[in-house]
């Protein structure tokens, strides 16, 4: 049935080609061949993902194929899937010496156009990066497959309809779009976005959907540096929402507000004013506080950070034999 429908859709175009050469420009509704802007955006959507490992390979020209391994400050990590990227990030972010990531060669890579290559040395790898023009992918959105396709070739007076089932097939079809006088999607289609899916009825709606979600998609693919505990503390003011020292003593400290400054000083306002210093270890695992006055003595010392978000910092101190076990939570005002 689909093939019959396709021939019907393109029959007027095919008939006019026999009688008038200029009539080839009369294209079916939603002819994708006429919309180079949308075609370019769809290539970004359907290309092979290359951004996911940019923090490792330093290039959005290609992505390294699994399995492979890297070394972070001398510690080897074997990557078998996307889930292993997080371990590499954690080691690099927690490193006190810069967290340099070294790739163990040889590696296989896949370019944005789905072509592949193998590099046996760092020199060959770097040369390929230098000679490559990067791509800006939009892989966190895309068309739901299978996708129905209508095409027409005026030279052979041939109209076809068929389904494609992957981004790679769509990318290859778009790369060959000049071979067709007309190419159209079988609408409606389902378009997956960064926060769900929408139903698309035309090329215009499809391009609008891509434009609408491009910024969100790029933010997901290129999140940039993650905020640190220091970033959290220096944003706004904080108060003691929980303190345990032999017993819960939150009420003694909850009326104090703490302002942590970028220069390592802290200002305290409340029942009494105070000042002091603060520091977060390079690994983000420990916090140290010191105050001038005596009313906050119980909060001084080195704490192990057990949980940190932009609104909550939870800390713990083991018993030292002199001091008891303590728990401290700071919450953002």
């Amino acid at each position: 049935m689909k093939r019959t429908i396709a021939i019907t859709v393109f029959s007027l175009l095919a008939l006019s080609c026999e009688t008038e050469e200029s009539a080839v420009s009369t294209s079916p509704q939603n002819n994708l061949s006429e919309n180079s802007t949308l075609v370019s955006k769809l290539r970004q959507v359907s290309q092979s993902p290359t951004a996911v490992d940019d923090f490792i390979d330093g290039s959005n020209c290609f992505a390294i194929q699994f399995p492979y391994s890297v070394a972070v400050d001398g510690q080897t990590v074997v990557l078998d899937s996307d889930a292993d990227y997080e371990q590499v990030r954690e080691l690099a972010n927690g490193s006190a010496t810069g967290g340099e990531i070294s790739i163990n060669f040889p590696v296989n890579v896949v370019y944005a156009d789905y072509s592949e290559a193998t590099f046996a040395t760092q020199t060959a790898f770097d040369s390929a990066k230098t000679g490559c023009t990067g791509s800006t992918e939009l892989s966190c959105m895309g068309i739901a497959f299978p996708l129905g396709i209508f095409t027409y070739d005026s030279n052979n007076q041939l109209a076809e309809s068929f389904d494609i089932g992957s981004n790679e097939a769509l990318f290859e079809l778009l790369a060959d779009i000049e071979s067709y006088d007309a190419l159209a999607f079988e609408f409606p289609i389902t378009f997956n976005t960064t926060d769900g899916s929408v139903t698309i009825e035309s090329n215009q709606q499809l391009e609008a959907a891509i434009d609408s979600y491009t910024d969100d998609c790029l933010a997901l693919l290129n999140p940039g540096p993650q905020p640190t505990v220091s970033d959290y503390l220096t944003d706004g003011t904080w108060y003691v929402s929980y303190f345990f020292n032999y017993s819960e003593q939150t009420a003694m400290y909850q009326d104090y507000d703490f302002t942590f400054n970028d220069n390592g000083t802290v200002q305290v306002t409340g029942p009494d004013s105070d000042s002091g210093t603060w520091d977060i270890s390079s690994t983000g695992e420990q916090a140290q506080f010191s105050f001038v006055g005596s009313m906050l003595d119980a909060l001084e010392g080195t704490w192990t950070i057990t949980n940190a978000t932009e609104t909550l910092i939870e800390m713990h101190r083991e018993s030292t034999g002199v001091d008891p076990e303590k728990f401290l939570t700071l919450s953002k005002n």
Side-chain angles (χ1 to χ4, degrees), residues 188-325:
I189 64 174
T190 298
F191 188 72
N192 298 319
T193 70
T194 55
D195 60 4
S197 61
V198 293
T199 299
I200 302 295
E201 301 283 353
S202 67
N203 287 345
Q204 291 73 24
Q205 288 185 14
L206 180 57
E207 186 165 8
I210 294 174
D211 291 342
S212 176
Y213 290 97
T214 290
D215 287 345
D216 290 343
C217 190
L218 293 176
L220 287 172
L221 292 171
N222 304 284
Q226 297 301 301
T228 65
V229 178
S230 296
D231 294 329
Y232 294 147
L233 285 175
T234 54
D235 182 19
T237 62
W238 297 75
Y239 69 95
V240 175
S241 57
Y242 182 76
F243 182 61
F244 184 93
N245 181 21
Y246 290 108
S247 62
E248 183 179 351
Q249 300 176 6
T250 307
M252 296 174 59
Y253 302 95
Q254 64 185 5
D255 293 330
Y256 290 97
D257 288 333
F258 298 78
T259 301
F260 297 93
N261 302 310
D262 290 328
N263 62 3
T265 62
V266 55
Q267 302 297 321
V268 185
T269 58
D272 297 290
S273 297
D274 200 356
S275 62
T277 60
W278 69 282
D279 184 56
I280 302 296
S281 66
S282 60
T283 62
E285 297 175 347
Q286 291 185 321
Q288 187 170 30
F289 305 117
S290 177
F291 301 98
V292 174
S294 60
M295 69 276 195
L296 301 176
D297 283 352
L299 306 184
E300 290 188 324
T302 301
W303 297 81
T304 297
I305 300 171
T306 57
N307 183 40
T309 71
E310 61 184 6
T311 59
L312 188 77
I313 310 292
E314 295 178 316
M315 292 167 277
H316 171 246
R317 284 184 64 182
E318 297 283 357
S319 173
T320 62
V322 177
D323 290 327
E325 184 178 30

Side-chain angles (χ1 to χ4, degrees), residues 39 59 84 86 89 140-141 151 154 205 208-209 240 242 264 270 333:
V39 169
S59 173
D84 296 320
E86 189 58 32
R89 286 192 181 92
C140 44
M141 64 176 90
T151 65
S154 63
Q205 288 185 14
V240 175
Y242 182 76
N333 284 309

Side-chain angles (χ1 to χ4, degrees), residues 109-124:
V109 303
V110 179
Y111 283 85
D113 64 359
Y114 294 91
S115 61
E116 300 182 14
T118 299
F119 300 110
T121 65
Q122 183 73 57
T123 300

Side-chain angles (χ1 to χ4, degrees), residues 82-103:
D82 288 356
D84 296 320
Y85 289 134
E86 189 58 32
Q87 183 182 359
V88 179
R89 286 192 181 92
E90 289 178 354
L91 287 173
N93 292 338
S95 170
T97 58
E100 181 179 353
I101 302 172
S102 300
I103 301 168

